[in-house]
């Protein structure tokens, strides 16, 4: 009986350890795509009072352009809290813009009109 209990306990520990080593997601996946040219594209969609992605972590190489592909049902503006700060206006429909960040760190991109964080740009 004692041997069976030890074996069962060992099995539970192994399952927990193996399960913790999986490559799970924290839910904040980005919709960015590295392009063959070295430029990364971030797809952003505004529909009603929602934005996608929302709070995604996007890795960006310092000094490398980040293409923003914005699809929106009404015009608006993205605020990029870099140094210096940048504003990116977009129209209803499709807007493509390019952003280059030179300083390493985390830069927040948000919609003040919706009061929502669109992405955290991790500049390396």
């Amino acid at each position: 009986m004692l041997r069976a209990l030890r074996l069962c306990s060992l099995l539970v520990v192994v399952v927990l350890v193996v399960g913790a080593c999986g490559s799970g997601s924290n839910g904040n996946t980005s919709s960015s795509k590295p392009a063959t040219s070295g430029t990364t594209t971030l797809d952003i969609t505004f529909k009603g009072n929602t934005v996608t992605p929302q709070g995604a972590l996007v890795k960006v190489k310092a000094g490398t352009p980040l293409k923003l592909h914005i699809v929106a049902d009404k015009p608006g503006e993205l605020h990029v809290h870099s140094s210096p700060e940048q504003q990116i206006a977009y129209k209803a429909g499709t807007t493509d813009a390019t952003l280059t960040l030179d300083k390493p760190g985390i830069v927040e991109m948000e919609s003040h009109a919706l009061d929502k964080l669109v992405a955290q740009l991790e500049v390396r």
Side-chain angles (χ1 to χ4, degrees), residues 30-35 39-43 69:
S30 71
S31 57
S32 64
K33 299 173 271 194
T39 302
T40 298
T41 300
L42 177 60
D43 293 321
H69 180 75

Side-chain angles (χ1 to χ4, degrees), residues 58 60-66 80-84 86 98-109 120-124:
V58 179
V60 179
K61 186 175 180 183
T64 302
L66 172 64
V80 182
H81 294 279
S82 57
S83 180
Q86 302 177 52
T98 302
L99 174 68
T100 302
L101 301 167
D102 296 320
K103 296 180 183 177
I106 301 291
V107 176
E108 292 185 342
M109 180 187 311
Q120 294 180 335
L121 307 175
E122 182 180 353
V123 184
R124 294 180 173 198

Side-chain angles (χ1 to χ4, degrees), residues 22-38:
S23 60
S25 172
N26 64 3
N28 278 339
T29 57
S30 71
S31 57
S32 64
K33 299 173 271 194
T36 55
S37 66

Side-chain angles (χ1 to χ4, degrees), residues 3-17:
R3 182 179 165 136
L5 183 58
R6 284 184 186 162
L7 184 58
C8 185
S9 296
L10 178 62
L11 182 61
V12 168
V13 169
V14 168
V15 168
L16 290 175
V17 169

